Amino acid sequence: MLVSYNWLKDYVDLDLSAAELADKITKSGIEVEIVESLNKGITGVVVGHVLECVQHPNADKLRVCKVDLGEEEPVQIVCGAPNVAAGQKVPVAKVGAVLPGNFKIKKAKLRGEASNGMICSLTELGVEGKLVPKEYSSGIFVMPSDAEIGSDALAYLNLDDYVLELGLTPNRADCLNMLGVAYEVAAILNEELRLPEVQVEASGEKASDYVSVAVDAKEDNPYYGAMIIKNITIAPSPLWMQNRLIAAGIRPINNVVDITNYVLLEYGQPLHAFDYDRLGSKEILVRRAKDGEEMVTLDNAKRKLGTNHLVITNGKEPVAVAGVMGGATSEVQDDTTTVLLEAAYFEGIRVRAASKDLGLRSEASSRYEKGIDRNRVYDAAYRAASLMAQYAGGEVAQGVVEAGERLVSEGKAEVTQTRINTLLGTEIEGEQISDILKRLRFEFDVQGENYIVTVPTRRPDITIDADLVEEVGRIYGYDRIPTTYLLSEGRPGGLTPYQAARRKVMRYMEGTGLYQAVTYALTTTEKSNAFTFSEEQENVHSIKVSHPMSEERSTLRSTLIPQLLEVLKHNHHRSIDDVGIFEISSVFFAHEQSLSVLPEEKTYLSGALTGLWSIHPWQGEKKKIDFFVVKGILEGLFEELGLHSRITFEIESLPGMHPGRTAVMKLDSIVVGFIGQIHPGTQKEWDLNESYVFELDLDQLLGASVEPTVYQTLPRFPSITRDIAVVVDQNLPAGDLNTVIHEAGGELLKESSLFDLYEGERMEEGKKSLAFSLKYYDPERTLTDEEVTKAHENILRSLEERFGASLRK
Amino acid sequence: MQDRLQALKEEALLKIQQASDLKALQDIKVSYLGKKGPITEVLKGMGKLSPEERPVVGAYANEVRDAITSALELKISELEQAVIEEKLKKESIDVTLPGRPVRKGNAHPLTAVIEEIEDLFLTMGFTVAEGPEVETDYYNFEALNLPKDHPARDMQDSFFITEDILLRTQTSPVQARTMEKHHGRGPVKIISPGKVYRRDDDDATHSHQFMQIEGLVVDENVRLSDLKGVLETFAKKMFGEERKIRLRPSFFPFTEPSVEMDISCFKCGGKGCSICKHTGWIEILGAGMVHPNVLEMAGFDSKKYTGFAFGMGPERIAMLKYGIDDIRHFYTNDLRFLKQFKKA
Ligand SMILES: [Zn+2]
């Protein structure tokens, strides 16, 4: 809502600047987003009287004018506007004047003729082109003949005004009109409120002789009123009205249309003026449109209507889409003499349906949608009729032809002084409460400490005690509410074990050198499940949003990896090729085609790594990221979570992954994630370098019960370490060997670690050699050489039996 | 005999002094103090001396032996020291060469901001509550006093999956779920961070996915003045002790009265600058007293219980705090962006 500061002065005395007013309104609950000065830096523009206007001797399109600026001598000005003529009062920028954009007016010579100033158009004075009345859109602005020569033209044009742009929340539709704002401002400033005085002198004729009104859709249109104003002369509306419409962002058209718009702005009541003689009948029938019914609207567009839309008809065909736009045939034109003025209450839902379907949003439709004050319909209609009598020479026929209930009863709301003070934490006196309710112009009864308020229909947002608490609080002033601390006994706060563990995982991942990424949950259907590591994941359905804004953001993901690859790609395209990132986010699984219950949500920990891992160039150190770098990171994580000994890695071929360099990770026997190299084909599709990824079901990991840490006594006896190197088949996993070593080593074997892997030329084809360092220890005594040898030989024998391993010589 | 010993001593000491390496010293030791050395030779002739002379010469011989031994030891340690120094000199390095980098990542700036806020409220006795990102219409809207045809639903155009299931547009459904779990008994004191989704075109200031943090306190006798106290504590800890706060009336369907909280600009201190759009104030969060309908729907007696709720955007706070000008940076994850928040 755009509020003219000058216009507001009609209703409330304002002894403060526009900026100060804006600050007070903001503090009391309606945010003033912008205070705009209509003077865009103009100085030196006065009212001039064109005394003489002749053709320029050397230029077809220029005129040479003598203009009286109220100074001793008239000045000569060369003007290019086609509509300049002798006898006009016009805005003139004198020599030395400044126009918007810091445009300075200087003495000039145009094609040999001296020009001492400039006659201005409205756009040259800073008015937006689309708001300039049509007749002046390609020329200078012509002012009323009574404008005083030499006086400041800005005042005449209301360019000394300020416009306050209100950011209205949905509950304050009452401030979508000047009177509503005036009520608000009067309450805030504790000032008197002057409402417009409306007097209509009706002629002898009755409106009901002209037209009958019927409504066939009461639930959409509870009230419809029509007035008849005849003997109208269509002309421009008075300058002050045009100025106010322009300030509110509405282009002046003619007196009748301007008056309906003006009253809309003033009362918030949409009105429509039909040319009575072009209605095509003497009846108004409001009904739902028929399926496929058509009409041409004011903007000359053919509109196809449906049963969801409400129309005004002449009994046969639609003449307006209710609350949205009038029809072209019954539009007020220059020769219109009799006007049928519609003042109705349409339900917002019905108006919204049409304005949405037809793509037409207007000042009127948006007000119906947000809710208007039904009890103001009459006031607005009479106000418009009286203005038409005054400014369009109209005669108002007696009465309003109407259908439906015009008035609704006012609601009641109650609140006690105690409730106000306990909810706000204040000590507001009863007298102050009464005073505030009076300032808001609410009628109320006081019974003890109970306030029974009759809520005016302009404020439908007030229904319960809390609403009244807010009204009292905001006028009292939120800055006067004290600062206190919660009375209730505080229990200690804290993170849940899961939340604490999740933070620990984040810190660990960061500590390994990975950066945390946060990516979008919505992606393409294809990417949403591009990576899976268990059958359960493959058997789920895509979760698509019903009207996606783009395919790129259409489906909820069930893997984080595609978005992480996007991040690698983004960085790769900027020559950032050494990247390690992780993300902890939700993924979504639907176990049914069409969701009847919420989908399953899990938290995944995923990562993507590419490029070099450790780089220390001047010492010649450069280590590429490979499978084992990533595996090492995860092994560290499992250790951190106390799960290390329960996790196994098993080679697996998974979609999009390198078949020989990908493993699933099992916790006990349950698959909890995967790790591996992106398949070279996938890598090429994504335009990446060699990349590695992992994905883990974090909920499973953090949900696993972990044995508490128990201290192990430090060794008191020496341990014995022996190495063992065996030759086995090349494709035998080292992990399998290790398992058997531990089985066979028995109690005494405490640790085994792989320290050498050889697959080179000196090895028989298809074989490899693995060397382990084995540590034997008994906490109770010193081991003898014989015991260790026995255990060691047992291991060798088992390896031989199980894998055909031979001792490497 | 004594003269002979005297001469040997002087001769040996001179040789020791002139020795330049450990090998020479070893030779000196062997030749003078060894079993076949001259001092031993001298002592062998002691039998020829009178009983009176013997102890005198014996003592002197020991004196000479000791003098040579200690001179030898001193010289050896001098030479060893020199060798060590020579070695260390050769080992000297250029300490200005770059060190071996330790890989260290960091949290995403939004995580950093969220954890900072969480920690701040944890110390005030709050717990962290979380809930699903895909929600029912009931928890996302209806339980929050936003029935199906409420115009305020337009304020948050949503991604619906079915008629009844949508991506949550706010973290408030967590509040509704948490209150329900309390079965009408207070106190409730939670903070709920998380991702939310709205149908916005992504640009410098809008993102279809973003974060929210909301807080909720429900108990007997909770007042708007208490909300002011909590928010003031938060503002001062988050943005500096000298911050002032200002509450302005506003509107949210789930609170009544509703307020917006501004803080005095941390850039200009309130004088007016580009960050605060020359008003001296920066809008930080929305809040209010929990609407009685919301309390009642969650099973609380709104006559007995009152509460307050507040909500803010971690992106906005991070943008203000670090001077970030484009919200899309948070979701693009350019490494040059992420790396800037090491100490965040
Ligand atoms: Zn500032």
Side-chain angles (χ1 to χ4, degrees):
Chain A
M1 173 75 188
L2 300 174
V3 176
S4 154
Y5 173 77
N6 284 348
W7 186 353
L8 194 59
K9 286 181 185 166
D10 276 9
Y11 316 113
V12 188
D13 287 334
L14 300 176
D15 296 328
L16 70 181
S17 72
E20 288 163 346
L21 176 65
D23 189 49
K24 289 210 163 168
I25 295 175
T26 295
K27 274 191 194 153
S28 313
I30 293 170
E31 194 179 353
V32 179
E33 289 173 343
I34 300 165
V35 180
E36 191 194 9
S37 169
L38 293 190
N39 182 343
K40 307 275 190 288
I42 302 173
T43 59
V45 178
V46 299
V47 178
H49 187 204
V50 183
L51 302 174
E52 202 184 295
C53 181
V54 297
Q55 185 63 43
H56 190 293
N58 306 320
D60 284 355
K61 291 191 171 165
L62 297 179
R63 247 65 69 82
V64 181
C65 306
K66 288 246 165 355
V67 185
D68 179 3
L69 300 178
E71 294 162 354
E72 274 179 34
E73 290 285 320
V75 296
Q76 176 169 307
I77 296 174
V78 176
C79 180
N83 64 335
V84 66
Q88 288 171 338
K89 296 276 179 68
V90 290
V92 177
K94 300 201 287 187
V95 171
V98 180
L99 293 182
N102 202 22
F103 175 49
K104 295 191 177 89
I105 303 299
K106 296 174 189 146
K107 282 191 180 186
K109 238 182 192 166
L110 291 171
R111 298 258 181 141
E113 290 292 331
S115 184
N116 298 319
M118 183 171 113
I119 306 177
C120 301
S121 70
L122 286 182
T123 40
E124 282 159 344
L125 294 173
V127 175
E128 250 187 287
K130 62 173 188 186
L131 298 178
V132 174
K134 254 199 188 112
E135 61 265 40
Y136 304 122
S137 60
S138 57
I140 55 159
F141 185 72
V142 181
M143 302 172 73
S145 53
D146 61 358
E148 195 184 325
I149 297 166
S151 66
D152 181 5
L154 293 188
Y156 276 98
L157 296 170
N158 195 43
L159 292 178
D160 57 353
D161 197 2
Y162 293 86
V163 173
L164 282 61
E165 187 172 349
L166 307 185
L168 290 173
T169 47
N171 61 325
R172 292 307 302 272
D174 62 296
C175 284
L176 276 170
N177 58 76
M178 292 302 292
L179 289 182
V181 175
Y183 273 104
E184 176 76 8
V185 169
I188 295 168
L189 302 180
N190 198 10
E191 286 281 353
E192 289 302 312
L193 178 69
R194 288 183 297 273
L195 297 177
E197 279 176 31
V198 179
Q199 275 187 332
V200 176
E201 278 178 41
S203 69
E205 285 174 288
K206 284 185 190 157
S208 54
D209 293 339
Y210 282 75
V211 70
S212 66
V213 170
V215 175
D216 238 10
K218 285 257 182 307
E219 65 291 352
D220 298 330
N221 180 200
Y223 175 79
Y224 193 98
M227 293 184 81
I228 298 291
I229 302 103
K230 41 178 208 143
N231 292 334
I232 292 263
T233 308
I234 299 294
S237 60
L239 183 58
W240 63 264
M241 188 180 284
Q242 294 192 32
N243 289 339
R244 287 179 174 186
L245 291 177
I246 290 173
I250 295 177
R251 179 186 206 163
I253 308 285
N254 60 45
N255 47 8
V256 168
V257 174
D258 289 359
I259 286 166
T260 58
N261 282 331
Y262 183 81
V263 176
L264 166 73
L265 292 175
E266 191 175 38
Y267 285 78
Q269 169 65 49
L271 300 169
H272 184 67
F274 293 97
D275 182 329
Y276 174 76
D277 298 313
R278 289 189 167 97
L279 263 180
S281 82
K282 288 184 139 200
E283 78 176 287
I284 290 286
L285 172 68
V286 185
R287 61 163 166 82
R288 288 286 186 100
K290 292 166 193 155
D291 205 16
E293 202 166 18
E294 286 183 344
M295 77 170 287
V296 178
T297 44
L298 277 178
D299 52 0
N300 281 318
K302 193 180 240 182
R303 306 285 180 179
K304 204 166 205 156
L305 303 167
T307 53
N308 202 22
H309 309 139
L310 188 70
V311 287
I312 318 300
T313 71
N314 59 6
K316 298 183 282 290
E317 54 203 12
V319 292
V321 182
V324 179
M325 198 178 256
T329 47
S330 57
E331 185 184 2
V332 168
Q333 296 180 20
D334 288 349
D335 60 355
T336 296
T337 55
T338 305
V339 161
L340 184 150
L341 181 69
E342 165 196 289
Y345 181 84
F346 302 119
E347 287 296 346
I349 295 181
R350 199 51 48 219
V351 173
R352 188 188 339 210
S355 81
K356 216 172 151 187
D357 293 349
L358 303 180
L360 287 172
R361 261 182 86 84
S362 61
E363 296 274 347
S365 70
S366 74
R367 279 176 177 77
Y368 275 125
E369 286 173 34
K370 286 168 183 162
I372 63 169
D373 181 1
R374 182 161 157 191
N375 288 12
R376 224 183 241 169
V377 179
Y378 249 31
D379 293 347
Y382 276 104
R383 171 73 163 158
S386 80
L387 289 171
M388 286 185 196
Q390 198 174 349
Y391 297 104
E395 286 173 39
V396 183
Q398 270 182 40
V400 180
V401 190
E402 54 195 352
E405 286 294 320
R406 181 167 62 85
L407 293 175
V408 286
S409 54
E410 295 170 316
K412 297 255 190 222
E414 290 182 34
V415 70
T416 63
Q417 184 182 354
T418 309
R419 180 71 168 168
I420 291 172
N421 284 322
T422 49
L423 209 54
L424 296 177
T426 48
E427 287 169 13
I428 304 177
E429 307 274 344
E431 217 166 284
Q432 286 173 289
I433 295 169
S434 298
D435 177 57
I436 288 168
L437 294 175
K438 279 180 203 152
R439 282 165 67 174
L440 288 163
R441 283 154 180 91
F442 294 169
E443 283 176 23
F444 61 95
D445 279 331
V446 190
Q447 287 172 5
E449 64 142 23
N450 199 17
Y451 291 78
I452 302 151
V453 177
T454 305
V455 182
T457 49
R458 67 189 153 82
R459 291 297 305 274
D461 57 310
I462 296 170
T463 56
I464 57 168
D465 59 355
D467 299 324
L468 288 170
V469 172
E470 178 168 59
E471 288 302 302
V472 171
R474 70 187 188 89
I475 300 297
Y476 175 76
Y478 280 7
D479 47 353
R480 292 167 70 191
I481 292 172
T483 300
T484 58
Y485 298 93
L486 288 166
L487 297 171
S488 65
E489 188 107 343
R491 292 184 197 177
L495 296 173
T496 62
Y498 175 87
Q499 290 162 349
R502 193 179 48 200
R503 278 201 187 186
K504 186 176 162 183
V505 170
M506 278 195 254
R507 294 301 93 78
Y508 170 80
M509 296 312 297
E510 292 155 26
T512 65
L514 304 190
Y515 289 87
Q516 189 191 17
V518 179
T519 60
Y520 294 135
L522 285 172
T523 181
T524 64
T525 307
E526 198 191 340
K527 286 179 194 162
S528 71
N529 59 355
F531 294 88
T532 53
F533 58 83
S534 73
E535 259 174 55
E536 193 204 344
Q537 288 176 324
E538 285 160 24
N539 296 332
V540 294
H541 301 271
S542 301
I543 307 172
K544 295 187 188 185
V545 299
S546 50
H547 299 285
M549 302 204 296
S550 65
E551 168 59 19
E552 199 58 33
R553 305 275 168 254
S554 64
T555 311
L556 278 173
R557 59 181 167 182
S558 56
T559 166
L560 305 181
I561 287 175
Q563 314 296 87
L564 295 180
L565 295 183
E566 291 282 2
V567 173
L568 296 193
K569 186 161 103 181
H570 167 93
N571 283 289
H572 175 48
H573 287 173
R574 282 152 191 81
S575 303
I576 304 164
D577 288 324
D578 304 326
V579 182
I581 48 167
F582 76 99
E583 175 165 8
I584 295 178
S585 279
S586 294
V587 288
F588 307 85
F589 299 96
H591 302 289
E592 49 191 345
Q593 181 75 45
S594 163
L595 287 180
S596 62
V597 293
L598 294 183
E600 186 184 4
E601 282 188 41
K602 293 181 180 182
T603 307
Y604 273 10
L605 161 65
S606 307
L609 297 90
T610 185
L612 292 173
W613 181 242
S614 64
I615 316 152
H616 194 33
W618 70 267
Q619 288 191 327
E621 191 182 324
K622 251 186 188 185
K623 166 88 183 92
K624 265 178 69 181
I625 286 164
D626 61 17
F627 181 90
F628 298 102
V629 165
V630 187
K631 185 179 179 186
I633 291 174
L634 298 185
E635 283 173 328
L637 174 70
F638 299 139
E639 211 162 331
E640 187 101 350
L641 298 176
L643 300 173
H644 191 51
S645 61
R646 293 161 61 187
I647 297 275
T648 49
F649 291 75
E650 288 175 20
I651 194 156
E652 184 75 79
S653 110
L654 295 174
M657 301 300 295
H658 189 306
R661 295 184 175 180
T662 299
V664 290
M665 288 169 276
K666 288 183 173 174
L667 171 63
D668 302 330
S669 59
I670 301 155
V671 178
V672 290
F674 79 99
I675 171 178
Q677 183 186 334
I678 292 289
H679 193 289
T682 316
Q683 178 192 319
K684 204 173 162 198
E685 264 170 54
W686 282 83
D687 188 17
L688 298 170
N689 292 332
E690 185 176 310
S691 302
Y692 293 83
V693 297
F694 64 87
E695 187 146 79
L696 282 163
D697 183 335
L698 192 62
D699 294 338
Q700 291 246 34
L701 291 181
L702 301 187
S705 59
V706 175
E707 296 289 318
T709 303
V710 176
Y711 160 75
Q712 307 281 311
T713 35
L714 300 180
R716 284 184 295 147
F717 302 97
S719 61
I720 294 179
T721 300
R722 295 239 178 124
D723 293 348
I724 184 171
V726 290
V727 176
V728 292
D729 282 350
Q730 205 163 11
N731 55 12
L732 179 70
D736 293 3
L737 276 174
N738 203 30
T739 310
V740 169
I741 288 173
H742 273 278
E743 280 167 15
E747 284 280 288
L748 298 182
L749 179 67
K750 289 293 181 287
E751 278 174 43
S752 77
S753 60
L754 180 78
F755 69 90
D756 186 50
L757 164 66
Y758 183 75
E759 301 176 295
E761 306 161 359
R762 285 180 290 130
M763 197 52 61
E764 192 187 330
E765 177 90 2
K767 297 280 182 188
K768 67 180 170 188
S769 144
L770 294 164
F772 295 85
S773 173
L774 307 180
K775 194 171 179 182
Y776 298 92
Y777 175 67
D778 189 318
E780 303 297 329
R781 62 205 169 84
T782 303
L783 288 173
T784 64
D785 226 30
E786 293 76 58
E787 285 174 298
V788 172
T789 305
K790 206 175 146 206
H792 206 67
E793 277 169 357
N794 194 37
I795 290 172
L796 245 177
R797 202 165 37 249
S798 297
L799 293 179
E800 204 180 324
E801 280 166 16
R802 292 283 296 275
F803 306 118
S806 59
L807 204 59
R808 189 178 177 197
K809 279 123 200 164
Chain B
M1 213 165 196
Q2 283 192 6
D3 294 346
R4 173 81 180 118
L5 285 170
Q6 172 78 23
L8 277 173
K9 177 183 163 190
E10 277 166 18
E11 187 187 304
L13 290 181
L14 185 69
K15 279 188 181 167
I16 288 168
Q17 210 190 336
Q18 286 166 346
S20 64
D21 58 33
L22 291 170
K23 172 80 175 57
L25 288 172
Q26 195 55 40
D27 292 347
I28 292 166
K29 189 178 179 184
V30 171
S31 62
Y32 284 90
L33 303 178
K35 289 193 169 110
K36 290 170 185 161
I39 295 173
T40 316
E41 281 303 311
V42 171
L43 292 177
K44 277 182 185 160
M46 288 248 288
K48 296 171 190 154
L49 297 175
S50 66
E52 294 79 28
E53 271 181 315
R54 249 183 250 165
V56 178
V57 173
Y60 187 67
N62 281 335
E63 214 174 276
V64 168
R65 191 189 285 264
D66 287 352
I68 293 171
T69 306
S70 67
L72 267 170
E73 277 169 7
L74 185 69
K75 186 69 183 180
I76 286 169
S77 91
E78 268 175 29
L79 279 180
E80 276 174 353
Q81 194 59 34
V83 169
I84 289 167
E85 271 164 23
E86 183 64 23
K87 184 165 179 265
L88 293 185
K89 208 171 170 187
K90 280 185 190 149
E91 283 173 1
S92 127
I93 53 164
D94 177 357
V95 297
T96 65
L97 284 169
R100 188 180 188 285
V102 172
R103 273 191 85 115
K104 180 84 177 73
N106 54 252
H108 192 278
L110 291 176
T111 304
V113 165
I114 288 171
E115 287 187 358
E116 188 178 352
I117 297 170
E118 278 177 356
D119 289 347
L120 222 149
F121 282 99
L122 289 175
T123 63
M124 288 193 250
F126 285 70
T127 54
V128 177
E130 294 168 300
E133 289 173 32
V134 179
E135 260 297 359
T136 60
D137 189 272
Y138 176 79
Y139 285 113
N140 193 73
F141 289 126
E142 281 178 54
L144 300 165
N145 204 27
L146 275 156
K148 282 240 150 65
D149 56 350
H150 198 286
R153 280 200 182 198
D154 279 358
M155 286 163 90
Q156 349 183 312
D157 208 354
S158 344
F159 288 110
F160 275 92
I161 294 165
T162 69
E163 207 168 290
D164 197 46
I165 295 176
L166 72 158
L167 305 195
R168 65 178 178 192
T169 59
Q170 45 194 352
T171 48
S172 325
V174 181
Q175 301 186 2
R177 285 174 177 275
T178 308
M179 276 193 279
E180 234 178 48
K181 279 187 207 136
H182 274 74
H183 300 291
R185 277 189 303 278
V188 179
K189 214 171 167 191
I190 55 159
I191 183 127
S192 50
K195 296 189 180 94
V196 300
Y197 305 84
R198 290 185 197 173
R199 293 177 68 93
D200 266 326
D201 286 316
D202 296 339
D203 61 26
T205 53
H206 296 86
S207 180
H208 74 278
Q209 173 183 320
F210 59 101
M211 303 279 191
Q212 239 184 20
I213 289 200
E214 294 192 319
L216 171 74
V217 173
V218 176
D219 204 349
E220 293 174 39
N221 299 314
V222 175
R223 304 158 296 176
L224 185 64
S225 56
D226 300 326
L227 170 64
K228 219 171 167 179
V230 165
L231 294 183
E232 194 172 275
T233 309
F234 160 73
K236 284 180 187 294
K237 288 197 178 162
M238 192 80 193
F239 297 100
E241 275 307 314
E242 58 289 359
R243 292 284 72 73
K244 289 197 283 281
I245 68 161
R246 169 176 96 168
L247 299 186
R248 278 184 290 112
S250 188
F251 169 76
F252 306 105
F254 30 86
T255 50
E256 185 73 29
S258 301
V259 297
E260 301 253 15
M261 182 185 86
D262 300 334
I263 60 166
S264 56
C265 180
F266 47 77
K267 184 85 190 237
C268 65
K271 287 194 284 289
C273 69
S274 61
I275 296 229
C276 58
K277 294 187 195 130
H278 305 281
T279 61
W281 296 96
I282 297 175
E283 199 176 306
I284 290 292
L285 56 78
M289 302 305 290
V290 182
H291 197 288
N293 292 356
V294 174
L295 288 171
E296 295 285 345
M297 267 186 283
F300 279 85
D301 178 358
S302 67
K303 295 267 180 299
K304 186 175 166 202
Y305 283 99
T306 53
F308 61 71
F310 54 87
M312 63 192 117
E315 279 90 349
R316 177 168 167 74
I317 290 175
M319 287 170 93
L320 286 168
K321 214 175 145 176
Y322 305 119
I324 297 164
D325 56 0
D326 192 326
I327 196 169
R328 287 170 295 199
H329 284 316
F330 293 115
Y331 297 96
T332 311
N333 300 289
D334 191 303
L335 217 63
R336 295 164 299 182
F337 175 79
L338 295 179
K339 278 183 172 177
Q340 293 182 33
F341 304 97
K342 280 254 187 303
K343 61 179 169 31

